[in-house]
Amino acid sequence: MEFGNDKEKYLHKLEPFKAEHLILLVGGNPLPNAVAGKLLVAPEGKITLVHSKGTAEVARKLCGWFSKQKVEFREVEESDSHSIVEGLKAVLDTSSAQKVGLHYTGGTKAMSVHTYRALERWADEKGKKAVFSYLDARSLEMVFDPVEGEVKPSRIYIGRALEIKLKDLMELHGWKLQCDPTRDPLLPNTARVLAEVCGEDDGLKEWKKWIDEQLICKCRREDKEDWKNDKELAQVRLTPCDGHLYKVFESLREELGIPAEEQSDFGLDHGDFRGKSFCRWLHGTWLEHRVLDTMRELAKPLGLHEYAQNIETEGVQFEVDVVALRGYQLFALSCSTDEKKSSLKLKLFEAYVRARQLGGDEARVALVCCSDNPEKIEKEMRRDITGGGSIRVFGRQHLANLNEHIKGWIQSEIP
């Protein structure tokens, strides 16, 4: 089911399930509750965050997210049935709501079971209405348990009912961006041509040979640990080559605005794009910018409301190169021009861990690389990682038509 443009229709379907008082069980990931709290509370309604000592900080961040709602906290012992029941009873005894909702995607199993039963009993005794819900991460549906003789639960797709910004998603986890991420790809046309060339049988070999003989040889320090400084790099001249790479350098000259008469060596100083940043682009980040350009082109047809690269956070090492958001679902892509399987698997694993931490079970993760056997990497990662079905690997054979392959992947992950 694709959301399309009729957002109001799906929001209207949620109206009968909105509660005057919504109880959220707080777990380690704030995203499910952030979504539920925005969608399932009636106007002027109240939210109670039931949390353990260990998730108190998550509850505090959620409170900031619900800035326009009245929010209260209730701490319980996460595995103590008496503490859970008494805590919920204290919450309900002070509630004047006629309809109370319990969203139990988060929290421990004990919290879910005992709060569910306690609310059920309270609603029966007081003649109130209780609404129970959870968020299905696979289908992106809000699921409401059957009531009043119903047999099947009600399922409402909410995949794009709430658009979460990258900045807001970061703040929900207490992460701060060091700087604005990159939204516009650098040298997108050359990145596209380079991807096409590296997808050819000998293209990647020729490119890596040029990198070793020109870029590394002339631009790295003697210890090979870092690039020379920008002043030194301003004096460097790189010599292009023919063969498969001819069209790469033709595109590069055109995008950099190098005059037609300068058809031989070229420098690394081109306005704002110079020195180390140019070296890093040539050495490998061109692939990140190719992927970013792909997400830019796919944004409208796939409903991606945000996409970004170069995401640097304070205090947390972010191992994802490009991200895109569709509603509240995160698509995270790691990029590498490496061909070594062990290095690629490690990079993908790091991206997977960080993406799931940020985007929850709804997050989908892909690796874009130069491997000749991406299927083997994907198979092994899916075997070794719980929830690895959300992983995709694109290799050298996918680079020439990366747009179509990534589009197909995202479409396959849209319920």
Side-chain angles (χ1 to χ4, degrees), residues 140-151:
L140 305 186
E141 292 175 315
M142 192 69 76
V143 184
F144 299 93
D145 292 348
V147 294
E148 298 175 2
E150 295 178 355
V151 177

Side-chain angles (χ1 to χ4, degrees), residues 75-92:
E75 184 174 317
V76 299
E77 294 290 335
E78 60 185 22
S79 58
D80 186 328
S81 61
H82 178 74
S83 171
I84 295 167
V85 171
E86 288 301 308
L88 191 65
K89 186 174 183 298
V91 169
L92 295 172

Side-chain angles (χ1 to χ4, degrees), residues 115-388:
T115 52
Y116 197 115
R117 289 177 176 173
L119 177 54
E120 240 180 355
R121 287 195 298 269
W122 179 84
D124 287 342
E125 293 171 1
K126 301 293 184 179
K128 305 288 183 73
K129 185 173 182 179
V131 180
F132 302 95
S133 64
Y134 67 91
L135 190 55
D136 187 330
R138 185 66 224 180
S139 65
L140 305 186
E141 292 175 315
M142 192 69 76
V143 184
F144 299 93
D145 292 348
V147 294
E148 298 175 2
E150 295 178 355
V151 177
K152 293 183 178 180
S154 299
R155 306 179 72 96
I156 300 174
Y157 176 74
I158 60 163
R160 289 182 66 196
L162 179 68
E163 291 187 348
I164 293 185
K165 297 292 186 183
L166 176 62
K167 181 175 179 290
D168 294 330
L169 191 56
M170 290 285 183
E171 288 180 353
L172 274 171
H173 290 269
W175 302 349
K176 290 186 179 181
L177 293 168
Q178 287 186 356
C179 57
D180 288 335
T182 300
R183 312 285 181 178
D184 298 313
L186 291 171
L187 306 178
N189 293 336
T190 304
R192 180 191 296 270
V193 173
L194 190 46
E196 293 171 353
V197 167
C198 288
E200 299 172 3
D201 288 342
D202 295 323
L204 182 61
K205 291 180 181 178
E206 288 188 22
W207 177 249
K208 291 202 168 185
K209 181 181 179 184
W210 183 87
I211 290 292
D212 288 338
E213 295 179 355
Q214 286 289 316
L215 187 69
I216 299 297
C217 182
K218 294 181 178 180
C219 300
R220 284 281 196 184
R221 294 192 178 281
E222 290 185 6
D223 59 11
K224 303 297 184 183
E225 293 296 321
D226 196 10
W227 304 106
K228 296 177 180 178
N229 62 46
D230 286 353
K231 185 177 180 180
E232 292 171 314
L233 291 172
Q235 308 304 314
V236 171
R237 304 292 294 180
L238 298 176
T239 303
C241 61
D242 295 326
H244 287 81
L245 302 184
Y246 176 79
K247 54 186 176 181
V248 174
F249 294 109
E250 284 295 294
S251 176
L252 189 62
R253 286 194 181 96
E254 183 177 341
E255 282 196 287
L256 292 175
I258 297 175
E261 59 269 19
E262 296 183 23
Q263 290 294 311
S264 56
D265 296 355
F266 64 93
L268 295 167
D269 192 348
H270 299 274
D272 294 333
F273 192 42
R274 64 178 62 165
K276 290 185 178 182
S277 62
F278 199 171
C279 290
R280 286 191 289 266
W281 190 95
L282 291 167
H283 192 248
T285 60
W286 63 267
L287 185 55
E288 296 177 27
H289 288 274
R290 175 70 194 104
V291 171
L292 180 64
D293 191 38
T294 294
M295 304 315 268
R296 181 180 64 173
E297 293 180 1
L298 295 177
K300 187 174 181 180
L302 294 183
L304 306 174
H305 66 268
E306 190 171 10
Y307 47 88
Q309 180 260 351
N310 190 31
I311 302 156
E312 297 183 5
T313 56
E314 297 178 3
V316 179
Q317 189 172 1
F318 199 75
E319 300 292 350
V320 177
D321 297 313
V322 179
V323 300
L325 283 160
R326 187 180 191 273
Y328 65 91
Q329 186 176 27
L330 176 74
F331 291 90
L333 298 101
S334 185
C335 308
S336 176
T337 56
D338 203 342
E339 300 170 82
K340 189 176 179 181
K341 186 177 73 169
S342 59
S343 300
L344 293 173
K345 288 179 67 174
L346 177 59
K347 188 169 177 62
L348 178 55
F349 177 74
E350 291 171 341
Y352 174 84
V353 170
R354 192 62 77 199
R356 292 289 287 246
Q357 183 181 359
L358 183 64
D361 293 339
E362 292 85 352
R364 299 293 179 261
V365 187
L367 172 68
V368 181
C369 63
C370 293
S371 170
D372 281 329
N373 196 352
E375 295 85 2
K376 185 173 184 180
I377 297 173
E378 185 175 303
K379 183 179 179 180
E380 291 182 7
M381 292 297 288
R382 289 187 174 191
R383 178 198 65 199
D384 296 341
I385 296 179
T386 301

